[in-house]
Amino acid sequence: MTSLGKEFGRRNFLRAGTAAGAGLALTPVVGAASAAAAETGGAPAYVVSGRPELSHGVQSGDATADSAIVWGRADRPGRLVVEYGTRPDLRDAKRVRGPLLTPDTDLTGRVRLRGLPAGHRVHYRVSVEGERGAAGRALTGSLVTAPHEHARADVRLVWSGDTVGQGYGINPDLGGMTIFEEIRKLRPDVFLNSGDTVYSDGPLEPAVTLPDGRVWHNLTTPEKSKVAETLAEYRGQFAYNLLDHNYRAFAAEIAQINQWDDHEVTNNWYPGEILDDARYTEKNVDVLAARAAQAFREWQPLGDDRIYRKLSYGRHLDVFVLDMRTHKDRNDENRYADPKRGLLGTRQRRWLIEALSRSRATWKVIAADLPLGLIVPDGATAQEGVAQGDNGAPLGRELEFAEVLSTARRRGVHGIVFLTADVHYTAAHHYDPSRAAFQDFDPFWEFVSGPLNAGAFGPNTLDGTFGPRAEFVHAPPRANTSPMEGFQHFGEVAIDGPSGELTVRLRDAASAVLWSTTLRPVR
């Protein structure tokens, strides 16, 4: 008997395989859309055979100068195996036998590749070994490792957020979520997903009639037919995106950085909330958030279970990924003076301040899942985001960002740039103390992008506390326009290695550049 058989045992292996059948329910139930899906390759088709197969493609993430995460999911229990090297033909491949894939993790697993060369494209091949060591068809992918910490290397990062929201899912008539193919064709080094990676509170109907009479057709699954409440339903939200062939091709070639926002759980949630929503039988948001967090960590190529973290890309770029949900205070008028409240929590706030202070990178990108200066209401009086619209001295959640920015100024920290999504349009905001009610900070930029495949909204109103000015806005003429009408966006950050100059390009779904600017380092 092989080592897998010894560890797992045939009886347990078969029992687990039966239990895994629930995962196979993710195969689409599409009604009228099924024929079109087959024509466009919108959903993979799986036939259970004698060997385990990878059911949802491969992904990579959290790449450093010498390591990266590779992810896969099987159609039944088995062991994840990854071969990797610098040659496309993998003749120089090393082999890593990864974890057992069991129903405990929804048959997902990840392997950290170590000892990788800095600043290189690494090719990998993933398969799943069955009970007797027999592996099914392997899938290939590639990723780019970060440059060495002292290397003045070119770096290209793309970011956006808000995927499959407002009832707009994978539309086979349009070839699926083609914006991901446009991102893939740019060949960035890394993709930053700024949150709302899924819409667990956004069920999909097979067809949606638009205001102009056109019909949007959705690929649907049982898990996407209602709001997510169970662990299986939350897992199904992430599995859904990987049914799209554009998304799978993109995920196989570009290392990701993922953070979450609200829709991974439910709209505008915060810890301790009790829902008043008839769609939910489970009203306790803490219960829902725990299930969503488990699914998020299982289905994303994360290098660490902690969402807030720093990733470095050579001499010029450090990315500080925030978690503005796990420690978030309740949504109210956001005008309090209590320094213990906020979005980040004390520990994360101190981590951010100290990590920014230690950074020697030319550019310190703060990846925020909520914008800093835009007013994001939650109902008639409560606020969901940082700002509240009083245009005065910092109050509420603005207090912790005032502390971050003022400490950075006192310690001589330069090159701060915020990247965010959330509001479903794209914009460029310049913040300057000369325009601000609070002036203890150095000027900086915030760039907004999205959505990736969701309803478009905006623009939102800017709060004057930190002196923002909108230098560019591209938003729809009315709320919740469909992706058919455009207004889907992603942004690109390109850093020139020799000069350290940072160029931002705000792009539409066809990759056309709508606006750009180049920032020069502070010497």
Side-chain angles (χ1 to χ4, degrees), residues 113-444:
L113 307 183
R114 302 182 186 275
L116 304 180
H120 278 70
R121 180 164 291 277
V122 174
H123 299 268
Y124 61 86
R125 182 166 54 222
V126 185
S127 59
V128 182
E129 287 183 351
E131 184 184 15
R132 293 182 173 86
R137 181 174 59 96
L139 298 180
T140 59
S142 65
L143 60 95
V144 175
T145 56
H148 187 274
E149 61 178 335
H150 300 302
R152 296 180 177 272
D154 294 351
V155 178
R156 185 151 50 154
L157 176 150
V158 166
W159 91 96
S160 190
D162 316 312
T163 309
V164 184
Q166 290 71 50
Y168 300 114
I170 300 166
N171 187 338
D173 300 341
L174 303 179
M177 297 191 290
T178 55
I179 192 169
F180 287 101
E181 173 61 10
E182 296 301 323
I183 295 172
R184 187 195 67 81
K185 289 192 297 187
L186 277 181
R187 302 279 282 180
D189 300 312
V190 61
F191 175 75
L192 167 64
N193 195 321
S194 299
D196 293 338
T197 56
V198 297
Y199 274 71
S200 299
D201 57 339
L204 298 178
E205 298 291 338
V208 179
T209 301
L210 305 180
D212 61 5
R214 289 183 296 173
V215 177
W216 177 280
H217 291 109
N218 281 316
L219 196 68
T220 62
T221 66
E223 293 81 5
K224 288 296 297 181
S225 67
K226 64 178 290 294
V227 295
E229 297 179 85
T230 68
L231 177 57
E233 289 164 351
Y234 278 111
R235 287 166 165 169
Q237 310 304 306
F238 297 94
Y240 179 84
N241 291 356
L242 286 162
L243 296 179
D244 181 72
H245 67 288
N246 303 288
Y247 192 98
R248 292 196 307 278
F250 145 87
E253 292 187 22
I254 303 170
Q256 304 170 48
I257 304 172
N258 286 284
Q259 61 189 143
W260 72 345
D261 191 31
D262 57 331
H263 292 287
E264 284 82 0
V265 181
T266 190
N267 187 47
N268 294 351
W269 75 277
Y270 53 86
E273 182 182 8
I274 303 299
L275 294 177
D276 181 17
D277 187 331
R279 299 178 301 167
Y280 289 85
T281 56
E282 175 57 71
K283 307 290 188 181
N284 188 330
V285 166
D286 289 350
V287 172
L288 298 176
R291 294 168 182 168
Q294 180 175 338
F296 180 79
R297 291 181 172 97
E298 289 171 344
W299 279 84
Q300 301 283 26
L302 300 172
D304 193 330
D305 281 345
R306 193 178 77 176
I307 293 172
Y308 72 87
R309 59 206 190 274
K310 185 191 87 168
L311 292 144
S312 297
Y313 297 86
R315 175 66 182 84
H316 291 311
L317 177 62
D318 282 347
V319 180
F320 302 86
V321 184
L322 300 187
D323 177 358
M324 303 169 83
R325 286 290 155 186
T326 302
H327 311 285
K328 187 176 191 281
D329 63 348
R330 66 183 180 276
N331 287 350
D332 57 17
E333 292 184 350
N334 193 25
R335 296 176 183 274
Y336 54 80
D338 184 354
K340 295 181 181 179
R341 292 183 58 183
L343 290 167
L344 304 180
T346 302
R347 180 176 295 180
Q348 183 179 188
R349 183 165 64 249
R350 296 312 308 169
W351 165 82
L352 178 60
I353 289 171
E354 296 306 321
L356 285 170
S357 299
R358 289 192 300 269
S359 173
R360 295 297 175 262
T362 307
W363 301 103
K364 292 91 173 167
V365 165
I366 298 178
D369 50 284
L370 286 166
L372 182 63
L374 290 171
I375 302 168
V376 184
D378 181 16
T381 60
Q383 297 298 326
E384 155 73 351
V386 178
Q388 74 290 97
D390 72 345
N391 297 318
L395 290 172
R397 296 162 181 158
E398 294 169 337
L399 292 168
E400 59 186 350
F401 287 94
E403 181 185 356
V404 170
L405 294 170
S406 63
T407 305
R409 180 176 183 270
R410 290 195 305 273
R411 296 182 179 181
V413 177
H414 301 291
I416 290 176
V417 175
F418 283 77
L419 299 182
T420 190
D422 185 63
V423 288
H424 294 235
Y425 66 96
T426 193
H429 303 145
H430 183 254
Y431 291 76
D432 195 304
S434 67
R435 297 188 295 263
F438 174 78
Q439 298 181 325
D440 188 16
F441 67 95
D442 291 326
F444 65 92

Side-chain angles (χ1 to χ4, degrees), residues 4 8 13 52 74 76-80 98-102 107 128-131:
L4 177 60
F8 216 69
F13 193 97
R76 73 199 71 190
R79 184 177 293 280
L80 191 67
L100 288 172
L101 308 182
T102 74
L107 302 175
V128 182
E129 287 183 351
E131 184 184 15

Side-chain angles (χ1 to χ4, degrees), residues 20-35:
L24 298 181
L26 294 171
T27 301
V29 179
V30 299
S34 59

